Amino acid sequence: AVTILPNVSIMPDDPTPKLKASLSKAKTPGDFHKAFGEALTSADHFFEEGRQFYSVTLACREGCSFCCYYRVDATAPEVFAIAHYIRTHFTAEKLKIILDRLEAHMERIRGLTPEQHVNRNVECPLLLGSRCSVYGVRPFACRRHHSQAVAPCEETFNHPNDLSLRVPSSPELYAGITAAHQSIRQAYSDLGFNVSGFE
C-alpha cells in the first residue's frame, strides 16, 4: 500500500506489481500503452481518494491555465503516451497546429538554461484555447500540481522570476502523487526501461 502520512493509507492496492506484470508480458505498442494508461488511471483514483480523505477543495478548473507556463519535465513513458494520444485522437488539422506549436516552442527555449526557463512564462505547446489538449495523459509533473486558490496562481504567473511565491497546495496530496510517480518509474526502471526526464 502507498502511505502518504504515518499509519494512513488511502490506496490499498499498489498498482506497481500489476504494471510490472503487464509490461513484462507486453508484446505490441498497444500493450505498453494500455499498461501505462491503467497506471495513470490508478494514480488519478489515488489523487481523488486523497482529495476526499483530506477534504481538500481545489480551485483548479478547466480553462484555468496559469500553471501551464511552467517548465515541465516528462519521462520517456510519459512522452510516448502523449505521442500515442496525439496520433490516435487528433485530426490532421489539429496535428499540424500542435506540430507548428512544438516547433515554435523549441525555437523559443533553444539556448535557455533550466534556470532561465524556470524564470519566465513559456506557454506549453500542448495548450490549446487555455485547455490541455492531452489532459488524460498529461505528465505527473502536471498531475501532482494543484492549488486551493486561484489568486496565488495568478500571482506566480505575473511574477515568474520570483521563485519564492508558492501556491496553496495540499502537502499530503503532493507527496502522495509524487510517491505514486516514483513507484511507476521504479517499475519501468526495474525492467530496464529508460526513465530519464525530458524537457
Side-chain angles (χ1 to χ4, degrees):
V2 174
T3 302
I4 61 180
L5 278 184
N7 302 318
V8 177
S9 174
I10 59 170
M11 189 170 69
D13 299 316
D14 184 350
T16 308
K18 181 180 178 180
L19 174 60
K20 291 180 70 171
S22 296
L23 291 175
S24 297
K25 295 184 295 184
K27 297 181 179 180
T28 68
D31 293 338
F32 285 103
H33 291 309
K34 180 181 179 182
F36 188 64
E38 290 175 347
L40 290 181
T41 298
S42 294
D44 287 344
H45 288 165
F46 176 31
F47 186 89
E48 178 57 23
E49 290 172 7
R51 188 192 67 76
Q52 295 182 28
F53 186 89
Y54 292 107
S55 301
V56 176
T57 299
L58 299 178
C60 306
R61 296 290 184 273
E62 183 178 359
C64 181
S65 58
F66 292 121
C67 61
C68 299
Y69 291 75
Y70 294 162
R71 181 183 183 275
V72 170
D73 285 338
T75 60
E78 292 171 317
V79 172
F80 285 125
I82 291 171
H84 175 71
Y85 183 88
I86 289 174
R87 284 198 301 266
T88 56
H89 288 79
F90 284 23
T91 63
E93 179 182 8
K94 191 174 181 181
L95 176 60
K96 184 180 185 309
I97 292 173
I98 287 296
L99 291 177
D100 288 345
R101 287 177 60 83
L102 284 167
E103 185 175 352
H105 178 78
M106 289 302 298
E107 286 300 318
R108 184 172 184 185
I109 67 172
R110 193 184 306 278
L112 293 180
T113 65
E115 291 75 19
Q116 290 171 329
H117 192 170
V118 165
N119 279 277
R120 64 189 69 191
N121 288 329
V122 179
E123 183 180 35
C124 175
L126 300 176
L127 189 67
L128 297 178
S130 296
R131 288 170 172 78
C132 178
S133 63
V134 294
Y135 187 78
V137 291
R138 67 198 184 283
F140 270 92
C142 303
R143 274 182 150 77
R144 69 171 169 248
H145 184 83
H146 61 279
S147 179
Q148 299 180 78
V150 174
C153 298
E154 186 172 6
E155 183 75 1
T156 62
F157 178 83
N158 290 333
H159 302 89
N161 59 339
D162 187 349
L163 301 184
S164 68
L165 296 174
R166 294 288 185 270
V167 298
S169 60
S170 162
E172 294 84 10
L173 283 183
Y174 188 93
I177 201 67
T178 297
H181 185 206
Q182 291 172 342
S183 182
I184 290 172
R185 288 187 66 171
Q186 190 62 50
Y188 277 91
S189 180
D190 289 347
L191 295 173
F193 290 98
N194 182 358
V195 292
S196 301
F198 300 90
E199 184 178 354

